[in-house]
Amino acid sequence: SVPFLIRLFPSVLTKFVYLNFLAFPFFVDFRRPELLVSNTISLHLTTEPGVTVGIWHTVPSSRGAEAQGKDQRWYEEALADAHPVIIYLHGNGGTR
């Protein structure tokens, strides 16, 4: 009966494969990453019209003292400097 139900309701399969309805760890506010990870700020990028991607920008610990108390503009300028940027893609089942 499971294959029959999946054939009738393909959205059910995608929910169980991607698990995008789960937020783990539970009861954590991912909009405030500075509470979880030091030297981190939440930003949003518009990749194309109508598509916005949420990101966290974390500066290295070597710039941690410099990042203390800085606003979003400082983090955006830090992205534009000559240092390399590492992009971590967490996969399809997690959240930021």
Side-chain angles (χ1 to χ4, degrees):
S1 66
V2 172
F4 179 72
L5 289 173
I6 291 172
R7 180 74 174 145
L8 283 177
F9 307 104
S11 63
V12 172
L13 178 63
T14 58
K15 291 286 186 195
F16 287 108
V17 169
Y18 297 113
L19 298 175
N20 56 359
F21 59 92
L22 291 178
F24 186 79
F26 305 109
F27 310 112
V28 174
D29 185 6
F30 289 105
R31 294 170 296 183
R32 306 227 19 235
E34 65 275 5
L35 300 175
L36 302 169
V37 182
S38 300
N39 313 323
T40 302
I41 191 170
S42 184
L43 301 171
H44 292 88
L45 300 176
T46 302
T47 58
E48 59 186 57
V51 178
T52 301
V53 178
I55 65 166
W56 283 0
H57 177 213
T58 304
V59 294
S61 58
S62 62
R63 294 186 73 183
E66 184 184 355
Q68 293 295 323
K70 300 295 185 186
D71 61 356
Q72 180 175 338
R73 185 175 181 175
W74 183 89
Y75 280 87
E76 290 172 355
E77 289 172 359
L79 278 173
D81 65 12
H83 293 89
V85 174
I86 298 172
I87 299 174
Y88 171 72
L89 304 171
H90 58 75
N92 62 357
T95 59
R96 285 185 287 157

